[in-house]
Amino acid sequence: MVTIGFIALCVLMYLAQLGLPRLAGVDLTSALGYAPLHTSPWILEPWRMLTSAVLHSPSSVMHIAFNMMALWVVGRTIEPAVGTWRYLSLLVLSAFGASVAVLFLSEPGTLTVGASGAVFGLFGALFVLLRSTGAQTGGIIALVGINMAVSFLVPGISWQGHLGGLVTGLLTALIIARAPRGPRGAPRDLWQILGLIGLAALLVVLTLGGMTLVSLPGS
């Protein structure tokens, strides 16, 4: 349900991105996309670090098409394997981690949109989960390698967001897969919750630290 809901939200937001500028003069991409300046002392709008993950480039249908296809294929594998709340945590933290990487590695005024960070988080999580069960991981390694190469070689793609989402997805899945096992499952759930809260807190601390590094363009 989380996978389907997230895809539906992205599609609805994409339609709004296309229609609102003509119907109401509202540029949703500019209003909710994320750039490092949006978490700076001059423009403090931290919610954009997450809202940008449900937006896509209005000028490229392939942008949203690829991300939604990847979410559909990989999400339907991971969501039933880890459960709803763990999967939702994985998506949110991966999107957040992608924006944190953009904060540190992108130009201050460069606007970033897309669910790609969350998708790369799923890629990273799938690798960890496959490894934890002893399954073959060659396919996911090749998939990540090809897509990261494309991220660096093709202009206009945020490799920063892809890298941040990938690393965060790896860490989130490690917390889920490596949490100590309890006799009835409840103690393990507690360790997973504490670990995920700790990771979220680390991302918040990194965001607060990165805010001090952002400078106004031309300054």
Side-chain angles (χ1 to χ4, degrees):
M1 292 304 297
V2 175
T3 299
I4 295 172
F6 189 69
I7 290 174
L9 177 60
C10 288
V11 171
L12 288 174
M13 293 299 289
Y14 183 72
L15 294 176
Q17 286 177 266
L18 295 177
L20 283 180
R22 300 173 184 176
L23 297 176
V26 177
D27 186 351
L28 204 61
T29 308
S30 298
L32 296 177
Y34 176 68
L37 276 178
H38 294 126
T39 43
S40 70
W42 303 279
I43 309 174
L44 189 57
E45 299 178 354
W47 55 86
R48 289 174 177 257
M49 299 183 82
L50 292 179
T51 58
S52 60
V54 297
L55 303 178
H56 290 82
S57 172
S59 61
S60 174
V61 70
M62 290 304 297
H63 186 207
I64 187 171
F66 171 80
N67 284 340
M68 297 306 99
M69 180 181 67
L71 275 168
W72 177 250
V73 173
V74 183
R76 287 192 306 156
T77 300
I78 297 179
E79 184 173 357
V82 302
T84 300
W85 71 266
R86 297 176 188 84
Y87 179 71
L88 181 60
S89 300
L90 171 62
L91 277 179
V92 173
L93 288 173
S94 296
F96 188 12
S99 292
V100 171
V102 169
L103 169 61
F104 279 91
L105 301 175
S106 294
E107 292 297 321
T110 301
L111 196 71
T112 303
V113 295
S116 304
V119 168
F120 270 80
L122 295 185
F123 290 162
L126 184 59
F127 170 78
V128 171
L129 296 175
L130 288 174
R131 289 280 294 181
S132 68
T133 60
Q136 295 293 324
T137 56
I140 189 65
I141 290 174
L143 178 65
V144 171
I146 292 170
N147 280 279
M148 281 305 301
V150 171
S151 303
F152 283 100
L153 296 175
V154 177
I157 296 180
S158 175
W159 63 265
Q160 299 91 337
H162 292 179
L163 180 61
L166 178 64
V167 172
T168 308
L170 287 168
L171 294 175
T172 303
L174 281 172
I175 292 171
I176 293 173
R178 301 297 183 184
R181 293 183 180 275
R184 300 185 192 81
R188 189 180 192 194
D189 289 347
L190 178 61
W191 283 112
Q192 289 172 338
I193 292 170
L194 292 175
L196 295 174
I197 291 175
L199 179 57
L202 174 61
L203 293 175
V204 170
V205 169
L206 288 174
T207 300
L208 294 174
M211 288 172 56
T212 64
L213 302 176
V214 179
S215 60
L216 287 172
S219 64

